[in-house]
Amino acid sequence: MTTTGEDHVPARGGPWWWDRRRGAVLDVSLGAVSALECAAEGVPFARDAGIPLAVGVVFGLLAGSVLVVRRKWPIAVVLVAIAVTPAEMGFLMGVVGLYTLAASELPRRIIGSLAGMSLLGTLIVTFVRLRQDMARDGVDLGDWFLPFASIATSLGLTAPPLLLGLYVGQRRRLMESLRERADSLERELQLLAERAEERAEWARGEERTRIAREMHDVVAHRVSLMVVHAAALQAVARKDPEKAVKNAALVGDMGRQALTELREMLGVLRSGGDGARAERASVPLAAVGVAAAAAASRAAGDGESSPDGPCLSELDELIGQSEAAGMVVNLSVEGEERVYAAEVEATAFRVVQEALTNVHKHAAGAKTYVRLAHRVSEIAMQVENEPPPEAAASARLPSGGNGLVGMKERVAALGGVFVSGPTDAGGFRVSAVIPAS
């Protein structure tokens, strides 16, 4: 990223008011040259004024050395140059002082006033000196020459340094304005980059959460049923060989289906598609989310599922799987059945599926009631199980605590309400209400 702004401001490495040593050397050199010039011009001034030569030289040295402070006090330099104009000294000081004044940040009215005073002083002194010289030498060039020469001389000494200083000052201010604008743009770009990074991180977090939720839906339900069937297989292996064979076949089928779905998702994670390696860094999260959703949509059974996810018409098959695992499930539907948006039906299906999975995990053998209510502007579902029988064998299924969280996230994402908790009778109830649109 380009460095602008404060990085371009030179460090203050010079003495006193100078920003750089180079500027200090330049001003001191100009002051020395100006002091020598004024000292040399102080000799004829002392003769004309009838004062000692040493006084005129010292006066010139003091007046010319004022140019050293031109950056700090440009007004003082111009005023001194105007003051010594009648003595016909300070040519360099007047030119450099006007340039520094015009290039400074002072108001234009002050610059104009001092420039006008310098122009008027130079005009008067030039007019008087030329008139005296022409009268002493007896030269007569006409009435027009004297004012023309005076005006041309005063303009030549005043206008060029003034215009050059105004140009340099304006250019300097323009560069500072552009630099400040570049700084502002750089800060805005940096802020936008930070916000984009935050949004990308947030999106990655959301996608990871969605992938985890979908994979949980894929794995938890099938594996839970596998464990339940395996426990039943262990119990009836010797008493009822035919039922044991049937349970073993179910366990094998569910295991193969779960492995197939996991391979699909892990394959997307590993390859990220058939694109180039540069594309693989951005594909997996979104692709795995899609693959996980597609795989989870097949968790209800072996039949065809909607590409947008499971639907409520598959509830009978889902409940049939739980009944095949030994759970007693009572399904009741209220209201007129109708078709909802794909995400609404998928979320309602997931709530019922996860609630049944939790019953398998924590209340094996408990009778379960699934209630579905089709209302005017919403769909409500409730899954409630009775306390498990004391003699029921525990399936010893692990729980990561993600099931209820995932259900709540799904329902909240659609603007619905999710409530879960134990019942007074010792069972557990999961309720959700989702807007129909």
Side-chain angles (χ1 to χ4, degrees):
M1 189 172 290
T2 304
T3 305
T4 57
E6 296 181 356
D7 293 340
H8 285 274
V9 178
R12 295 187 63 87
W16 295 332
W17 56 84
W18 286 285
D19 292 331
R20 298 179 180 177
R21 293 185 180 275
R22 183 173 59 184
V25 172
L26 176 61
D27 289 354
V28 171
S29 301
L30 289 174
V33 173
S34 177
L36 292 176
E37 177 204 352
C38 292
E41 293 169 346
V43 174
F45 169 70
R47 291 174 181 172
D48 294 341
I51 58 176
L53 293 179
V55 175
V57 172
V58 172
F59 176 75
L61 288 173
L62 293 176
S65 61
V66 176
L67 192 58
V68 176
V69 298
R70 69 183 185 95
R71 299 177 191 264
K72 184 70 173 178
W73 296 294
I75 296 178
V77 174
V78 175
L79 289 176
V80 172
I82 295 173
V84 299
T85 300
E88 297 184 8
M89 63 174 62
F91 169 78
L92 178 62
M93 180 170 56
V95 173
V96 177
L98 277 177
Y99 164 79
T100 306
L101 178 71
S104 66
E105 300 292 336
L106 292 171
R108 293 296 177 87
R109 63 178 184 276
I110 296 178
I111 297 175
S113 300
L114 292 176
M117 292 171 59
S118 177
L119 176 66
L120 182 61
T122 306
L123 177 65
I124 294 174
V125 171
T126 304
F127 183 85
V128 172
R129 177 58 65 179
L130 284 176
R131 185 176 182 180
Q132 290 176 353
D133 292 343
M134 291 175 64
R136 184 179 62 248
D137 297 337
V139 179
D140 186 9
L141 298 177
D143 296 338
W144 61 271
F145 177 75
L146 191 59
F148 172 77
S150 302
I151 293 173
T153 302
S154 59
L155 286 176
L157 294 176
T158 305
L162 181 66
L163 295 176
L164 180 61
L166 290 174
Y167 167 75
V168 172
Q170 185 64 29
R171 183 175 179 276
R172 184 184 301 158
R173 285 187 287 272
L174 176 61
M175 294 299 295
E176 291 177 356
S177 175
L178 292 176
R179 189 174 295 120
E180 290 177 358
R181 187 175 300 177
D183 289 340
S184 177
L185 290 175
E186 183 178 3
R187 287 192 294 270
E188 289 180 3
L189 288 175
Q190 185 176 2
L191 182 60
L192 289 175
E194 292 176 356
R195 290 180 177 176
E197 186 176 355
E198 291 176 358
R199 288 196 295 268
E201 184 63 29
W202 176 84
R204 285 192 292 268
E206 289 292 314
E207 196 63 32
R208 281 192 293 266
T209 302
R210 189 170 77 93
I211 292 171
R213 188 167 56 239
E214 296 292 350
M215 292 186 72
H216 178 272
D217 290 338
V218 171
V219 177
H221 185 72
R222 290 197 185 277
V223 174
S224 298
L225 293 178
M226 288 171 58
V227 174
V228 172
H229 282 295
L233 175 62
Q234 183 180 6
V236 301
R238 295 181 179 178
K239 298 179 181 179
D240 193 347
E242 291 185 7
K243 188 173 182 180
V245 171
K246 183 179 179 181
N247 287 340
L250 287 174
V251 171
D253 291 340
M254 290 182 181
R256 283 188 291 272
Q257 292 167 9
L259 284 175
T260 300
E261 292 158 359
L262 286 174
R263 284 196 192 99
E264 291 178 2
M265 288 180 285
L266 294 177
V268 176
L269 269 176
R270 182 169 298 174
S271 64
D274 297 330
R277 179 172 302 196
E279 298 175 354
R280 292 178 182 175
S282 59
V283 171
L285 279 178
V288 170
V290 175
S297 68
R298 296 192 294 271
D302 302 331
E304 294 293 332
S305 297
S306 170
D308 295 326
C311 55
L312 293 175
S313 61
E314 300 172 5
L315 277 181
D316 292 334
E317 189 173 0
L318 176 67
I319 293 173
Q321 292 179 353
S322 295
E323 290 177 340
M327 181 188 296
V328 179
V329 184
N330 184 1
L331 173 64
S332 62
V333 180
E334 300 177 3
E336 182 180 356
E337 296 185 8
R338 62 182 187 273
V339 178
Y340 299 93
E343 60 270 17
V344 174
E345 293 208 12
T347 300
F349 181 90
R350 295 294 183 221
V351 170
V352 176
Q353 181 189 56
E354 183 59 32
L356 293 176
T357 301
N358 287 340
V359 175
H360 284 296
K361 289 181 179 180
H362 308 292
K367 187 175 182 179
T368 305
Y369 302 91
V370 178
R371 301 181 180 91
L372 190 66
H374 300 276
R375 299 171 184 171
V376 177
S377 58
E378 61 188 16
I379 179 174
M381 65 228 62
Q382 182 183 92
V383 179
E384 179 179 350
N385 63 273
E386 296 179 351
E390 296 181 0
S394 174
R396 297 181 181 179
L397 290 169
S399 176
N402 297 318
L404 294 176
V405 175
M407 285 190 282
K408 186 173 183 180
E409 290 176 351
R410 286 180 181 275
V411 174
L414 298 179
V417 179
F418 178 84
V419 178
S420 63
T423 62
D424 295 337
F428 199 83
R429 180 187 299 118
V430 172
S431 302
V433 177
I434 305 175
S437 59

